Amino acid sequence: MKKKFLSIVASVLMVASLAACGSTASKPAETDTKGDAAQTEQTEAFAPKGNIDFLVSSKAGGGSDIFTRSITDIASKKGIVSSSFVVNNLQDGNGQIARRNVKDAKGDAANASLLCFSTGDLSSMLSNGGLTMADFKPIAILAADKHLMFTNAKNSKYASFEEVVEAAKGGAQIVVGGTSSDERNVYDMLVQSLGLEDNFSYIVYGSSSETMTALLGGHVDLGMSKPAASKEYVLSGDISPVLALSSERFSAPFDTAPTTDELGYGVIELPVWRGVIGSANMSDEAVSYWNDVFKQVTETDEWKTNYLEKNLLVNNYMNVEDTTATMLAAEKAIVEAAG
């Protein structure tokens, strides 16, 4: 079962990456120019009516919430979108309530309903059943990030991840907290690589902010999170990064955490793309409009400095075609690998 899990992860990463690169490389420059012109015409022909409902399938304070509020703040302040955004956090049902709300939107509401959507959201959506990518229209992918493990800096029993591993080998039970989907997936990859599955246990929290609260309260030994949701706690000295689940070390203030490869476990990572989808009922004109909006957002200095650099993310904007190819390829890989 665990070997099968790793094959699922590998398939998702490889197929999704190739899908995006392949669709970009296969388009000649002339085709790209015509496509851009067509998108511009569609964008100019559409404008949202009323408020924009931007849903997040997790609680406020987490990486998805920060991502969404960064987009809406820039789009509003820069005048890219004149309508007002209303950000709603609906984490019930592992995010399925938020997804169903967007999926069921029709008419003008469908054109003004957006959903924050990541690699983890896709995995969660499929595992919860009832919804697939056929219920939605991919709009854009904007950024990507990776994971870290943290200890409580003030009262942890462990000063490093190496001490954690030694304790587990000695029979200690290590409790790790984190969200479901991508954080749980990369955790499974790690403990399988260590061969210490029986000595680690995982507690699922509804958001990264809940994980941080549990870590600060001493309810878990280690907390899983991404840079965006943990940076303030690292800077305040409340938590310490002890492991980077990345092929390279993160920049400050996370640079003290060694990578899994440095510790001799090989490269263990599960990059998470962050994007936006809409209902299958959203018009093609609206999809083009919103993709153009997000493209403009990713080109601003505020996005590059206040979001990407501040949260140590990678700029990963994709147009509608590449976003669709990436999300559908990831879905196919997950379904096929799961049998």
Side-chain angles (χ1 to χ4, degrees):
M1 180 66 186
K2 291 178 179 176
K3 288 183 178 179
K4 189 174 186 180
F5 167 77
L6 287 180
S7 72
I8 292 174
V9 173
S11 297
V12 171
L13 292 176
M14 182 177 296
V15 177
S17 178
L18 290 174
C21 294
S23 62
T24 301
S26 64
K27 294 185 295 181
E30 191 174 334
T31 302
D32 282 344
T33 302
K34 291 179 180 178
D36 289 343
Q39 178 170 322
T40 299
E41 289 179 8
Q42 287 181 319
T43 299
E44 292 176 349
F46 172 82
K49 297 178 181 179
N51 292 338
I52 310 305
D53 197 20
F54 208 141
L55 274 68
V56 183
S57 58
S58 59
K59 289 186 177 181
S64 295
D65 182 69
I66 293 171
F67 169 80
T68 302
R69 293 180 189 276
S70 296
I71 291 172
T72 57
D73 185 59
I74 293 171
S76 296
K77 289 183 177 178
K78 288 290 184 180
I80 299 173
V81 176
S82 57
S83 298
S84 297
F85 287 98
V86 179
V87 177
N88 289 311
N89 297 81
L90 298 175
Q91 75 279 5
D92 294 343
N94 287 325
Q96 291 293 74
I97 301 300
R99 297 176 197 119
R100 286 192 179 279
N101 280 8
V102 172
K103 175 248 182 188
D104 293 337
K106 295 180 175 60
D108 290 338
N111 293 332
S113 294
L114 304 170
L115 177 66
C116 173
F117 199 66
S118 68
T119 311
D121 290 318
L122 174 59
S123 178
S124 178
M125 179 180 78
L126 295 174
S127 64
N128 278 280
L131 296 174
T132 69
M133 288 306 303
D135 296 307
F136 303 94
K137 282 188 178 177
I139 298 174
I141 286 174
L142 289 77
D145 61 6
K146 299 181 183 180
H147 309 81
L148 295 112
M149 275 192 167
F150 302 88
T151 58
N152 185 314
K154 297 179 178 178
N155 59 18
S156 174
K157 293 179 288 187
Y158 310 108
S160 67
F161 190 73
E162 293 156 297
E163 289 187 9
V164 171
V165 173
E166 286 305 310
K169 288 180 177 178
Q173 289 296 313
I174 309 299
V175 181
V176 181
T179 59
S180 60
S181 302
D182 59 278
E183 289 183 7
R184 177 61 189 265
N185 289 348
V186 75
Y187 158 83
D188 284 339
M189 294 168 66
L190 174 64
V191 295
Q192 180 180 343
S193 176
L194 296 173
L196 294 170
E197 299 97 314
D198 293 339
N199 295 92
F200 280 78
S201 59
Y202 192 88
I203 297 178
V204 176
Y205 292 100
S207 68
S208 296
S209 58
E210 289 185 14
T211 301
M212 293 296 101
T213 298
L215 182 60
L216 294 174
H219 304 300
V220 295
D221 298 306
L222 295 167
M224 294 278 303
S225 189
K226 305 179 190 71
S230 57
K231 186 174 182 179
E232 65 174 293
Y233 300 101
V234 175
L235 292 175
S236 68
D238 290 311
I239 66 173
S240 297
V242 294
L243 184 67
L245 291 150
S246 168
S247 55
E248 298 179 351
R249 285 202 183 203
F250 287 85
S251 301
F254 305 98
D255 54 333
T256 56
T259 67
T260 53
D261 199 32
E262 287 179 58
L263 297 181
Y265 313 132
V267 176
I268 300 174
E269 61 176 7
L270 183 60
V272 177
W273 43 255
R274 293 194 178 280
V276 183
I277 61 176
S279 169
N281 298 319
M282 179 179 282
S283 70
D284 292 340
E285 291 79 11
V287 170
S288 293
Y289 169 86
W290 287 116
N291 182 271
D292 184 63
V293 164
F294 300 135
K295 181 175 186 292
Q296 291 182 61
V297 167
T298 62
E299 291 171 346
T300 64
D301 290 336
E302 287 81 358
W303 177 259
K304 296 171 184 176
T305 302
N306 297 336
Y307 180 67
L308 295 178
E309 292 181 12
K310 181 178 180 180
N311 298 302
L312 304 175
L313 299 176
V314 178
N315 203 17
N316 197 43
Y317 165 77
M318 294 185 191
N319 60 24
V320 175
E321 181 182 14
D322 290 347
T323 296
T324 301
T326 297
M327 291 185 181
L328 291 182
E331 178 185 48
K332 181 179 179 182
I334 291 172
V335 172
E336 289 183 348

